Amino acid sequence: MAEVKTAKFKKASSQAVSDPKLQNTLEHVMGHFIEARAGAIEEFGDESWDQMRERASSIKKHALENLDYYLDLIDRTIQKNGGHVHFAKDTQEANRIVLDIAKKAEAKRVIKSKSMVSEEMGLNKALEKAGIEPVETDLGEYIIQLADEPPFHIIAPAMHKTKQEVSELFQDWLRTAPTQDIKQLCIIARDALREKFSTADIGVSGANFVVAETGTVVLVTNEGNGRMTTSTPKIHIAVSGIEKVLPAIEDVGLFLRLLPRSATGQRITSYNTFVSGPKFSTDEDGPEEFHLIMVDNGRLNLMRDPEFREALKCIRCGACLNTCPIYRKVGGHSYGWVYPGPIGAVITPVLTNIKQSKDLPYASTLCGACRDVCPVKIDIPKLLLKLRHMAVEGDSSQRSVSWIERLMIGQWRKTVSTRSSIERATNLARFLQVVVTKKGIIRNLPLPLISGWTKSRDFPALAPKSFAQLWQEKFSEETDG
Amino acid sequence: MVEKETKTDKSDFLQLVREAIGRKTPLLYAPDYPPLKSNYTRQQEKVRTITAKNLARKSKILDQLIENASFAGWNVHRVSDHESAAEKIGEIAASVKAKLAVRTTETILKSVNVDGALRSKKVTPVVLASGRYRSKSDLKEVAFKADLGISGVSFAIAETASCVLIPRKGVARLTSLAPPVFVAIVQADQVLENLDDYFAMVRLQFQKTRGRYPNYTNFVSGPSRTADIEQTLTIGVHGPGIVHMVLVG
Amino acid sequence: MCVTCLVDQFFPEVGIATVNSLRKAGVDVDFPSDQTCCGQIAFNGGFQSEAKKIAERFLDIFEGESYVVVPSGSCASMIKVYYLELFQDDPVLLERAQKLSERTHELSEFLVNVAGHQNIDASYHAKVTYHDACHLLRELGISDEPRELMKSVEGLELSEMQDSDRCCGFGGLFSVKYPEISKAILEEKLRNIESSGADILVANDCGCLMHIRGAMSRQGMKQEAMHIAQLLSPDADRS
Ligand code: SF4
């Protein structure tokens, strides 16, 4: 499995917020995504867009509640089409399935179109270890493969790289001349990858949807690398999370309306590829072998809980990332694993390690913007709250909240449990705050846990008299009388 | 064999899934899901209604296709007959200074004399088909060398400006993918109004052939594009950057 | 009326303004003097058992028939929305929470929809910009009411800022646990306030106000941050 660095959230995020170049890029790109999405959903009007989301949500819900049936149907249908379906409990198993296929075919080079599950698997590293060359062919993925970095964003993996940095990577790896022309950079990548396309033995793709009824893997792409990956090699392997299932082929239309609009703000992407098996013998070209690997890797832990199950509806559009005030500042790498942003903060802890990922559910203002844009209506704030609840009151594998916090909250609860105790406490504080207060504000509050706050903003001093006291003095007679 | 030892058995896996859902045993019947229920006759009826609707709205749908296709980056050329279609394609080939063009062998390409039009512009037409070459890599080589790809379509979808391409004998995948310029010939009666129309028809086809359904289909809905570098839209990465739609009728 | 703990201890003037604007709308105001806090801070922190105890206490104090008006979006959300979640496994408390939820209103929404006062007889001469507090907007769906109210204030000019619906980075505990991220978010908000050209930032949530005001005073900005009630009180206009 790809390395999990969620424990470093605090450090990584503070580095990110103090990197002005990154902040600039984030603001620019996120703004672009948000605007594009808003423009693309306008044609429907709020009400019918909402109805579409509702329908999509209930289709996904149904698919998940009957997932055993649909997975079986997928297997039977694809087998009938001449393909093979594999089930993998974890990433190790998934990698092994790919390697077995590759070894049998004596493969030397694997081309990949974008697949988040293969990122989970750390497939590239596994292939390299086996002496097989993996080549990412989505431009963004190719760039971060050269840079040896994980994706920064679900749908824009290299959005943090400037054209200058891309040019430098190409100079280093492809010995090309420096250029600031983005079109030229695309041509360099295209030419470098053409060679790989025509010589690769295996193509590995992800799956945006897997349709149970017809046994069809649906790919949603823009560049054409997804088509190449499923056309030029002898073998095509699609890897998918088990949650990608849609029951019926007639469900696809709705999801093709929701996904690109939510993701890039396009009405539809340039290409949609539907694969149900290997080429027919009479076909002119195409892979002779087709494999679909359905990967669990912790998803059943989400499935087991009816509330977390909601998170499996995700179609990985990235809209929640773009709108999230936190993601927009800390960027994708801070989250420490494959899936960043609000949905990452929900699923990463469960798919990897809840305790180690303790920062993720707390690094949110619960503003709810993610829930509003999600095309399948996942109530992300609710799930973050659930994870927080587990951090406080869960079992020993889940509890991560420190004793100081527990003590403080307990104390606070006692204080606010009666009016007299709160008056006592605040009167004492009023007395003490004189030391730190100037003109009704506190510029530096030297208390543990809170001092960070006053580094950049003032804290208000307690008012000379509480409202309750004022009420007594000012208003109560009038109401009594 | 090693493979056997390390692989999770399907029935074990499905049992784990089931338990996570909260069920002990497999479902006895297919889940109650309306889109999976409609039988062949009902689906046939549904498709008949769609066809009638699209016929009645034909001119509107064509207008919609043209508008959406132009917006999506297609160069749309509406022509009235096969001859002018061929002529148009010749012009396109000349305008991009093509030397080598690859094409498919659908019925429409028997009516539209593409080869003649190309030759008159000094462009060599080649049918991209596996039988013609010694090996598969030769087919790839020709496809990658070609300046232009020409193909008919199985359907077009007005809502999304999509050409639906289904590879088969005489219709190689790479024709519409490898060359930098692609020309799709769309006949007016192939145009559907929306995605749902298309998927209803596909389902009927699936039922009709008892599952012998096209194993591979592509929607091409505009030029190949990327915005992966600095969110700047760039046309033409791995697929054709220039796409033409010749709409006949 | 529930004034919320922040108003009670830090911003009593907002409480007074709330009373005044309610009275002006002809509402009979009472202040159950035992009230302390709604428990949101514990709930958001994951301390559900602690939150439950506070919430139960709240149910006791605000038992009855009268409306509960809250001058804060997030506290109103806690009471209207999250109490129901908190008590979902306890039918008796849930029913009480349900009833309380129905009786509870955020101030601006109450004034417009319940008291029927789209037009407030108030005057305040200033250019203001409005920040949509997250919970007010997204939990309660309130965005038109405060704007209507502001537009009815004589002399008040509303100049919308860019992304008024984007979070200010407060998030209660969040701003304490992750002050640097919070600050980065807040700075974008301050920029938007600045470029709206307004003199006063208005919001309906004392959490956001405390946060934004804290940064404004630290950075020496000339703008002020005020609660909407402070614009609606009869003697509010100081210009
Ligand atoms: S959670 Fe919703 S918004 Fe976020 S990526 Fe998944 S589908 Fe998109």
Side-chain angles (χ1 to χ4, degrees):
Chain A
M1 189 160 87
E3 198 187 340
V4 184
K5 299 181 189 159
T6 48
K8 299 194 181 124
F9 178 84
K10 274 209 164 117
K11 191 162 167 237
S13 62
S14 53
Q15 265 166 15
V17 293
S18 54
D19 175 348
K21 203 177 74 187
L22 182 64
Q23 289 305 311
N24 222 335
T25 310
L26 275 164
E27 199 169 321
H28 168 71
V29 177
M30 297 295 97
H32 188 99
F33 273 132
I34 287 187
E35 215 172 281
R37 175 188 171 275
I41 65 177
E42 217 167 49
E43 64 179 292
F44 292 104
D46 287 350
E47 203 174 306
S48 74
W49 179 252
D50 195 62
Q51 281 167 7
M52 287 161 67
R53 293 166 65 214
E54 195 63 56
R55 251 182 70 212
S57 166
S58 68
I59 291 173
K60 282 298 243 183
K61 187 162 183 278
H62 169 87
L64 292 167
E65 280 166 0
N66 298 281
L67 192 61
D68 58 327
Y69 175 85
Y70 289 122
L71 287 175
D72 182 45
L73 184 57
I74 287 168
D75 178 54
R76 284 184 282 128
T77 324
I78 289 185
Q79 252 185 53
K80 212 157 89 186
N81 294 341
H84 309 274
V85 179
H86 312 260
F87 297 95
K89 268 195 261 192
D90 50 31
T91 58
Q92 213 180 349
E93 205 174 341
N95 282 330
R96 200 157 47 218
I97 294 168
V98 176
L99 289 177
D100 283 345
I101 298 168
K103 272 182 203 143
K104 217 163 108 197
E106 293 173 10
K108 294 192 180 54
R109 179 175 284 167
V110 169
I111 48 170
K112 286 182 65 206
S113 73
K114 201 168 166 310
S115 152
M116 295 305 281
V117 176
S118 77
E119 296 285 349
E120 276 179 54
M121 289 157 62
L123 177 60
N124 290 355
K125 295 267 180 292
L127 287 168
E128 277 165 13
K129 238 169 115 185
I132 300 165
E133 183 199 4
V135 183
E136 294 286 354
T137 61
D138 170 89
L139 181 56
E141 291 282 345
Y142 182 57
I143 292 168
I144 61 167
Q145 188 188 20
L146 296 183
D148 194 21
E149 285 177 23
F152 195 87
H153 187 285
I154 298 180
I155 63 157
M159 57 152 279
H160 59 303
K161 293 268 179 241
T162 62
K163 54 189 176 202
Q164 172 78 34
E165 290 166 321
V166 175
S167 171
E168 280 162 19
L169 278 170
F170 287 177
Q171 286 166 57
D172 287 352
W173 288 93
L174 307 171
R175 309 253 155 264
T176 51
T179 172
Q180 297 285 312
D181 179 4
I182 291 176
K183 171 92 194 169
Q184 187 54 36
L185 290 168
C186 289
I187 291 172
I188 292 172
R190 173 193 165 103
D191 292 347
L193 288 169
R194 282 257 146 156
E195 147 74 14
K196 311 276 183 191
F197 281 131
S198 54
T199 54
D201 309 291
I202 296 180
V204 172
S205 76
N208 290 96
F209 309 103
V210 184
V211 184
E213 180 182 22
T214 54
T216 305
V217 170
V218 184
L219 302 175
V220 177
T221 65
N222 268 313
E223 296 180 0
N225 62 317
R227 294 178 66 194
M228 286 286 185
T229 305
T230 57
S231 293
T232 56
K234 286 198 302 286
I235 300 171
H236 170 206
I237 305 173
V239 288
S240 170
I242 49 173
E243 80 284 12
K244 289 293 168 75
V245 173
L246 295 181
I249 190 74
E250 286 184 90
D251 296 330
V252 176
L254 173 67
F255 284 87
L256 287 187
R257 289 188 186 104
L258 286 168
L259 176 56
R261 284 181 174 84
S262 303
T264 50
Q266 287 174 281
R267 194 174 276 170
I268 195 157
T269 50
S270 294
Y271 304 119
N272 292 103
T273 304
F274 302 82
V275 189
S276 314
K279 76 188 263 279
F280 289 135
S281 58
T282 47
D283 285 358
E284 306 294 351
D285 50 2
E288 284 146 25
E289 250 181 67
F290 171 65
H291 300 265
L292 170 63
I293 307 176
M294 299 300 277
V295 183
D296 166 12
N297 195 32
R299 285 162 173 78
L300 292 182
N301 295 336
L302 290 165
M303 185 73 122
R304 240 164 248 129
D305 182 293
E307 285 178 328
F308 278 135
R309 190 178 296 168
E310 290 278 300
L312 292 174
K313 295 188 301 189
C314 175
I315 58 172
R316 308 273 188 263
C317 71
C320 59
L321 280 59
N322 304 337
T323 197
C324 175
I326 317 301
Y327 179 89
R328 295 166 61 97
K329 297 299 168 199
V330 307
H333 289 163
S334 301
Y335 292 84
W337 200 54
V338 179
Y339 302 103
I343 189 64
V346 172
I347 64 174
T348 300
V350 184
L351 296 188
T352 62
N353 181 318
I354 290 190
K355 246 179 158 158
Q356 227 180 70
S357 320
K358 66 176 175 11
D359 276 312
L360 301 191
Y362 281 98
S364 161
T365 62
L366 305 174
C367 78
C370 49
R371 182 184 48 201
D372 278 12
V373 296
C374 177
V376 286
K377 290 199 155 182
I378 301 173
D379 192 343
I380 294 176
K382 183 173 159 185
L383 298 178
L384 293 173
L385 276 166
K386 189 183 169 81
L387 282 164
R388 292 180 183 189
H389 185 202
M390 285 159 64
V392 177
E393 293 172 11
D395 63 34
S396 62
S397 72
Q398 301 163 344
R399 281 181 190 229
S400 58
V401 165
S402 69
W403 63 270
I404 307 184
E405 277 176 74
R406 288 175 197 277
L407 198 76
M408 282 177 58
I409 289 282
Q411 202 51 49
W412 163 87
R413 203 259 305 153
K414 279 185 205 135
T415 309
V416 299
S417 285
T418 63
R419 191 68 216 181
S420 54
S421 62
I422 202 170
E423 297 288 0
R424 263 202 312 279
T426 50
N427 282 336
L428 177 66
R430 275 190 188 94
F431 177 69
L432 292 175
Q433 73 180 3
V434 175
V435 187
V436 288
T437 310
K438 260 187 211 138
K439 291 188 194 145
I441 54 175
I442 298 171
R443 298 184 78 97
N444 180 15
L445 200 54
L447 295 176
L449 304 179
I450 301 189
S451 57
W453 214 86
T454 51
K455 268 196 191 128
S456 52
R457 51 228 114 162
D458 295 331
F459 199 77
L462 287 163
K465 283 181 181 174
S466 72
F467 177 80
Q469 287 167 308
L470 291 174
W471 171 268
Q472 278 297 330
E473 295 169 17
K474 274 198 169 189
F475 301 112
S476 62
E477 278 159 42
E478 303 164 38
T479 22
D480 289 351
Chain B
M1 230 176 90
V2 190
E3 201 175 308
K4 278 273 172 313
E5 283 170 22
T6 56
K7 244 176 96 168
T8 304
D9 180 64
K10 172 182 155 189
S11 61
D12 292 349
F13 191 90
L14 294 185
Q15 187 59 29
L16 291 174
V17 174
R18 218 165 274 139
E19 279 163 15
I21 297 169
R23 225 172 341 98
K24 294 235 154 38
T25 50
L27 295 171
L28 291 175
Y29 306 100
D32 186 17
Y33 191 68
L36 289 176
K37 284 263 156 84
S38 126
N39 62 21
Y40 182 65
T41 331
R42 287 229 311 273
Q43 193 71 13
Q44 214 173 15
E45 196 44 51
K46 183 173 179 180
V47 168
R48 231 179 258 135
T49 319
I50 290 171
T51 314
K53 173 206 70 170
N54 286 349
L55 197 65
R57 296 168 54 81
K58 187 169 171 183
S59 77
K60 246 195 149 153
I61 292 172
L62 288 180
D63 289 346
Q64 201 191 336
L65 174 68
I66 293 168
E67 192 190 321
N68 291 345
S70 309
F71 179 79
W74 289 95
N75 301 286
V76 186
H77 316 274
R78 190 161 186 187
V79 297
S80 50
D81 54 33
H82 294 154
E83 256 153 60
S84 15
E87 205 175 298
K88 192 81 230 169
I89 293 169
E91 281 169 26
I92 294 168
S95 75
V96 297
K97 303 194 173 62
K99 289 194 184 67
L100 175 66
V102 289
R103 70 166 177 89
T104 55
T105 60
E106 287 126 326
T107 342
I108 182 71
L109 280 132
K110 298 203 168 73
S111 322
V112 177
N113 180 11
V114 169
D115 289 359
L118 290 172
R119 285 204 187 92
S120 78
K121 304 281 183 189
K122 304 206 166 39
V123 183
T124 314
V126 173
V127 171
L128 203 58
S130 56
R132 294 176 173 253
Y133 314 102
R134 269 159 295 141
S135 72
K136 198 180 149 190
S137 53
D138 287 350
L139 179 144
K140 280 191 235 174
E141 221 169 89
V142 174
F144 280 135
K145 229 168 61 192
D147 308 298
L148 181 69
I150 303 160
S151 143
V153 306
S154 295
F155 296 99
I157 302 168
E159 177 190 359
T160 50
S162 308
C163 287
V164 181
L165 307 178
I166 303 178
R168 55 187 176 276
K169 184 150 191 57
V171 184
R173 300 181 187 205
L174 288 178
T175 318
S176 55
L177 178 60
V181 184
F182 171 56
V183 181
I185 310 173
V186 177
Q187 296 159 267
D189 58 6
Q190 291 178 310
V191 183
L192 307 174
E193 185 173 19
N194 59 42
L195 292 167
D196 302 322
D197 293 353
Y198 170 73
F199 287 111
M201 290 184 155
V202 166
R203 180 159 194 270
L204 183 68
Q205 178 70 15
F206 183 75
Q207 289 173 310
K208 194 161 141 188
T209 56
R210 292 176 189 283
R212 196 168 163 79
Y213 164 81
N215 270 4
Y216 192 76
T217 302
N218 263 295
F219 291 179
V220 176
S221 311
S224 153
R225 65 177 79 211
T226 185
D228 274 351
I229 303 177
E230 296 197 356
Q231 202 54 31
T232 304
L233 181 64
T234 311
I235 297 299
V237 198
H238 304 298
I242 302 173
V243 291
H244 291 267
M245 186 187 289
V246 177
L247 179 58
V248 191
Chain C
M1 178 182 65
C2 155
V3 290
T4 80
C5 53
L6 285 180
V7 168
D8 183 28
Q9 298 299 336
F10 291 104
F11 310 109
E13 67 277 12
V14 171
I16 291 168
T18 303
V19 176
N20 286 339
S21 44
L22 282 168
R23 286 201 170 155
K24 195 159 67 178
V27 182
D28 200 7
V29 186
D30 186 24
F31 174 79
S33 59
D34 259 355
Q35 62 180 277
T36 53
C37 174
C38 65
Q40 183 180 206
I41 190 164
F43 181 73
N44 282 356
F47 293 85
Q48 291 211 4
S49 312
E50 304 283 6
K52 251 184 215 159
K53 290 176 198 156
I54 299 301
E56 250 189 271
R57 185 174 182 273
F58 194 97
L59 287 180
D60 291 342
I61 290 170
F62 287 93
E63 196 78 277
E65 297 300 319
S66 45
Y67 290 114
V68 177
V69 178
V70 192
S72 166
S74 57
C75 306
S77 307
M78 180 68 198
I79 299 159
K80 282 180 80 69
V81 182
Y82 288 116
Y83 275 13
L84 305 181
E85 220 158 90
L86 208 49
F87 294 126
Q88 59 187 348
D89 299 327
D90 185 332
V92 180
L93 288 173
L94 183 64
E95 205 197 309
R96 288 175 65 198
Q98 190 79 49
K99 286 202 177 118
L100 176 66
S101 169
E102 284 158 21
R103 287 189 286 124
T104 302
H105 295 270
E106 182 277 330
L107 175 66
S108 69
E109 187 263 335
F110 180 82
L111 285 173
V112 173
N113 299 337
V114 182
H117 272 254
Q118 290 86 341
N119 290 308
I120 283 288
D121 173 26
S123 85
Y124 201 107
H125 289 84
K127 190 168 172 184
V128 306
T129 192
Y130 178 71
H131 164 64
D132 285 279
C134 293
H135 286 151
L136 183 71
L137 175 69
R138 278 179 282 265
E139 294 293 346
L140 305 177
I142 298 170
S143 66
D144 294 342
E145 291 86 348
R147 289 181 166 84
E148 266 177 53
L149 284 172
M150 280 184 283
K151 280 179 190 152
S152 75
V153 173
E154 191 217 310
L156 197 88
E157 186 195 337
L158 177 62
S159 161
E160 294 281 1
M161 72 172 107
Q162 200 191 324
D163 300 325
S164 68
D165 61 350
R166 188 163 303 146
C167 182
C168 72
F170 177 59
L173 273 181
F174 170 80
S175 58
V176 176
K177 282 186 110 142
Y178 307 95
E180 293 167 53
I181 307 173
S182 165
K183 173 190 161 217
I185 300 170
L186 176 57
E187 254 154 26
E188 200 173 315
K189 182 58 69 180
L190 295 179
R191 277 207 303 279
N192 290 335
I193 294 171
E194 188 96 58
S195 47
S196 76
D199 311 310
I200 297 172
L201 175 273
V202 181
N204 294 15
D205 192 308
C206 282
C208 312
L209 282 171
M210 175 167 98
H211 192 225
I212 296 172
R213 189 184 279 179
M216 281 177 161
S217 79
R218 173 62 57 90
Q219 301 191 0
M221 283 171 69
K222 60 181 195 316
Q223 290 87 345
E224 272 184 85
M226 287 174 77
H227 190 278
I228 192 166
Q230 294 172 287
L231 303 174
L232 304 175
S233 304
D235 48 358
D237 201 347
R238 288 169 297 170
S239 62

